[in-house]
Amino acid sequence: MAAEVDGPLKRVLVPLLLPEKCYDQIFVQWDLLHVPCLKILLSKGLGLGIVAGSLLVKLPQVFKILGAKSAEGLSLQSVMLELVALTGTMVYSITNNFPFSSWGEALFLMLQTITIAFLVLHYRGQTVKGVAFLVCYALVLLVLLSPLTPQAVVTLLQASNMPSVVVGRLLQAATNYRNGHTGQLSAITVFLLFGGSLARIFTSIQETGDPLMAGTFVVSSLCNGLIAAQVLFYWNAKAPHKKKKQ
């Protein structure tokens, strides 16, 4: 009976959440306090949870823009810089063969961020420019993922993530401060991004051992924390209604 249960359980956990040696350590030898294997299990579980959550993390922002038919309060420059950072993380991780659980959310967040960028342009009356942007971005991404792009360029792109994240978040923070409210910025999205970036510090250290990746998430957490603090500070502040022209 134990063997019958062990088979399906092992197929689920190995290698998705645990290497085989850790499965044996925990579930065969019943060493439930084996710290190195527990760290792997926690990191993999958190990583896959973040990837799964990223499928929905920016949808509240998308729906809020669509519902209001406005992107007021969102900084286009901030959105673009966030897109640069996400693209850098994704391309760098793919070229270095990092586990999908350590970077997969960058793919889904990138798709949602592109959508937000297009909507911002669309509701500013620049739909054609938005379509051109989508086409150009797709072409740039293909080039970055192709053998034409040297590894040094990919590493430089990842290194540029820190200033991109900082400048992008400061632009959004400045927009919030100048407006005296957060406009159509989604609180749900902001807090999910803050929590996800905090968890990624641990998973990037555990799964990749790459200081560049870990450092990026430390900076991202600090910047996301600033925006989260502004959301709380301006919680009851409302955007003034624009008077219709006579």
Side-chain angles (χ1 to χ4, degrees), residues 52-246:
S54 70
L55 291 167
L56 304 173
V57 72
K58 288 200 171 189
L59 288 185
Q61 182 67 78
V62 172
F63 292 144
K64 192 168 185 179
I65 294 172
L66 291 172
K69 291 182 170 52
S70 166
E72 183 182 6
L74 272 76
S75 165
L76 180 61
Q77 293 90 339
S78 176
V79 173
M80 292 298 189
L81 285 169
E82 184 178 3
L83 184 60
V84 169
L86 289 168
T87 303
T89 296
M90 184 178 70
V91 173
Y92 182 75
S93 299
I94 290 173
T95 55
N96 283 282
N97 296 314
F98 290 152
F100 184 72
S101 60
S102 71
W103 64 269
E105 80 279 3
L107 170 62
F108 302 117
L109 289 177
M110 176 267 288
L111 294 172
Q112 293 166 73
T113 303
I114 288 176
T115 303
I116 291 170
F118 173 78
L119 289 174
V120 171
L121 289 168
H122 172 66
Y123 285 116
R124 289 182 179 181
Q126 300 175 329
T127 305
V128 174
K129 186 182 290 187
V131 173
F133 160 71
L134 294 178
V135 173
C136 290
Y137 177 79
L139 292 174
V140 169
L141 186 59
L142 286 174
V143 171
L144 288 173
L145 290 172
S146 74
L148 296 174
T149 306
Q151 180 64 33
V153 173
V154 174
T155 302
L156 181 62
L157 181 62
Q158 174 65 14
S160 72
N161 278 3
M162 290 190 200
S164 295
V165 169
V166 172
V167 174
R169 284 293 181 256
L170 289 180
L171 284 171
Q172 183 61 61
T175 298
N176 295 340
Y177 177 76
R178 186 169 56 249
N179 291 341
H181 59 82
T182 54
Q184 300 306 320
L185 200 62
S186 168
I188 296 173
T189 294
V190 168
F191 290 124
L192 286 175
L193 286 172
F194 179 47
S197 58
L198 281 174
R200 267 293 174 224
I201 298 172
F202 171 72
T203 63
S204 59
I205 292 172
Q206 181 65 33
E207 294 200 52
T208 71
D210 191 306
L212 198 54
M213 288 279 284
T216 298
F217 287 117
V218 170
V219 172
S220 179
S221 296
L222 292 172
C223 295
N224 285 332
L226 172 63
I227 303 301
Q230 283 190 315
V231 168
L232 292 173
F233 184 77
Y234 293 120
W235 191 267
N236 294 317
K238 302 295 181 183
H241 293 287
K242 294 182 179 179
K243 295 181 180 180
K244 294 183 179 179
K245 293 182 180 180
Q246 301 293 329

Side-chain angles (χ1 to χ4, degrees), residues 30-48:
W30 291 104
D31 185 2
L32 302 180
L33 298 179
H34 192 269
V35 175
C37 288
L38 289 177
K39 286 172 67 176
I40 292 173
L41 180 61
L42 177 60
S43 177
K44 288 285 188 181
L46 275 175
L48 291 174

